[in-house]
Amino acid sequence: MEILIQQLYAELNDEVYKLYGIPDSTRAIIEETLGDRPPEVLWPQMEGQSVEQKRMEHVFRLLSYAVKRVVESDEDGVVPFVSMVGEPSLHERVLAELHAFFPDRDIGQVEIEIVNELNQTVKGHYRRTRSLAEWLENVFFEYHSDLYKNRPIFWHIASSQGTSRCAFGALVHYHKFDRDRMAKLRSQYLREAIETFRREAALADKEGRADDRADWQGRLEEAQELDRRLQKVQEGEGDFGIQTPWKTPAERPVGWAPDLDDGVKVNIEPLQKAGVLRSAKGSG
């Protein structure tokens, strides 16, 4: 495929030179000045990588693009990992995007083929996963952050770190995640999760299902701790405020009031300090 693309790319260059009436002598000077081009036409950074790495990179990029379409099309820019507040889960929405990409294919089969790829062990930053849901929860944010040079525009807010099950998680669109969206995340999405966990724990206790009760109670406490941490960020408590020392005291944000002009690194720092961003590497 890469060889075919290179051939088509060369033919396209020939047509462009003809279109602009550039003589061969001038073309030779231009190409000599530009120097050698990397053999990788699509992604020069993949030069020298194995076939398996290139294949996996295609899969990661495809899934990342599907997630991008989901988050950018969401009205409030908050996409929960499980269905709540009358919204489908991130997994369901990504499958819908994949179906749009491959309308003539059975989406169940498409997911199986993608998971078969994700389940391969490939050298590099391609964390192996056994399902699409696992990839979304444990790999996407790390890969997305790396792709954006640690300036991600989609943030994975989660109640736990590592690769264990997460009681609550949501992707938020940085460009939309203002004071009102932070309040909505806590008062609607997270609140519904907390009430669900509390209700299920009470029901399990009533029915004498001790193990289930402990499980639901654990999720409840985990979600409540996330809420407490988000509250600190929302109120700008102590070190959890947005730090802009170059601004005058009157210009500095009070509580969660991010200014996009300050940049991702400044605005994401309070969430990093609060430990509410999902990291498959562990807490922090």
Side-chain angles (χ1 to χ4, degrees):
M1 178 59 73
E2 181 68 26
I3 294 175
L4 175 60
I5 292 174
Q6 289 181 10
Q7 179 183 341
L8 294 174
Y9 188 76
E11 292 176 0
L12 178 60
N13 274 339
D14 291 340
E15 293 301 320
V16 170
Y17 280 113
K18 291 178 182 177
L19 179 64
Y20 284 94
I22 298 175
D24 291 341
S25 57
T26 304
R27 175 177 178 174
I29 295 173
I30 293 173
E31 293 182 344
E32 182 179 354
T33 302
L34 290 174
D36 294 333
R37 287 181 170 273
E40 294 287 341
V41 174
L42 292 182
W43 299 328
Q45 67 270 29
M46 293 303 292
E47 181 182 357
Q49 300 299 305
S50 68
V51 172
E52 291 76 17
Q53 287 173 312
K54 293 176 184 178
R55 186 182 183 92
M56 190 64 79
E57 184 71 21
H58 275 288
V59 174
F60 273 44
R61 293 287 182 111
L62 172 67
L63 294 177
S64 295
Y65 180 60
V67 173
K68 178 178 184 291
R69 285 175 58 90
V70 168
V71 180
E72 289 187 340
S73 64
D74 188 80
E75 185 177 357
D76 60 15
V78 178
V79 180
F81 275 72
V82 300
S83 180
M84 61 175 58
V85 193
E87 298 183 12
S89 67
L90 174 63
H91 183 200
E92 291 173 299
R93 294 194 222 185
V94 167
L95 285 180
E97 290 296 332
L98 291 174
H99 183 59
F101 297 160
F102 308 105
D104 299 328
R105 298 285 310 281
D106 176 75
I107 190 57
Q109 185 59 38
V110 170
E111 182 175 17
I112 289 173
E113 292 175 8
I114 288 175
V115 171
N116 286 341
E117 296 294 333
L118 296 176
N119 199 29
Q120 301 297 315
T121 299
V122 176
K123 185 178 179 181
H125 56 226
Y126 306 108
R127 189 184 297 273
R128 181 171 175 253
T129 54
R130 294 165 294 182
S131 70
L132 175 55
E134 183 183 351
W135 187 89
L136 292 170
E137 186 164 333
N138 295 332
V139 178
F140 168 74
F141 182 56
E142 181 180 288
Y143 176 75
H144 172 70
S145 297
D146 182 61
L147 198 63
Y148 279 71
K149 309 299 181 184
N150 293 320
R151 292 175 175 80
I153 58 173
F154 305 136
W155 299 350
H156 183 174
I157 294 178
S159 59
S160 69
Q161 308 306 321
T163 57
S164 60
R165 184 195 62 194
C166 187
F168 177 88
L171 285 183
V172 299
H173 195 319
Y174 163 55
H175 295 161
K176 297 181 180 180
F177 196 55
D178 55 13
R179 188 190 305 272
D180 292 338
R181 266 45 172 231
M182 170 67 88
K184 186 174 183 180
L185 174 68
R186 293 186 60 222
S187 65
Q188 293 188 33
Y189 294 93
L190 188 50
R191 183 57 51 189
E192 180 175 313
I194 288 173
E195 292 305 319
T196 297
F197 300 153
R198 180 180 287 115
R199 183 172 60 252
E200 292 294 338
L203 179 61
D205 184 49
K206 182 179 179 180
E207 296 177 349
R209 293 180 283 114
D211 290 344
D212 287 344
R213 182 199 175 281
D215 180 55
W216 287 112
Q217 184 64 29
R219 296 193 204 188
L220 172 61
E221 293 173 2
E222 184 180 309
Q224 289 174 325
E225 176 59 24
L226 172 62
D227 190 45
R228 283 190 287 269
R229 294 187 181 206
L230 286 175
Q231 183 178 6
K232 292 180 180 180
V233 175
Q234 186 177 19
E235 297 175 354
E237 180 181 320
D239 292 336
F240 301 115
I242 299 173
Q243 305 300 315
T244 55
W246 58 89
K247 292 184 176 181
T248 65
E251 295 174 328
R252 291 170 190 167
V254 178
W256 182 252
D259 180 349
L260 296 183
D261 290 338
D262 290 333
V264 176
K265 286 201 169 185
V266 169
N267 290 316
I268 201 174
E269 187 175 16
L271 298 171
Q272 291 173 325
K273 289 181 177 179
V276 300
L277 296 176
R278 183 71 163 176
S279 171
K281 298 176 182 178
S283 60

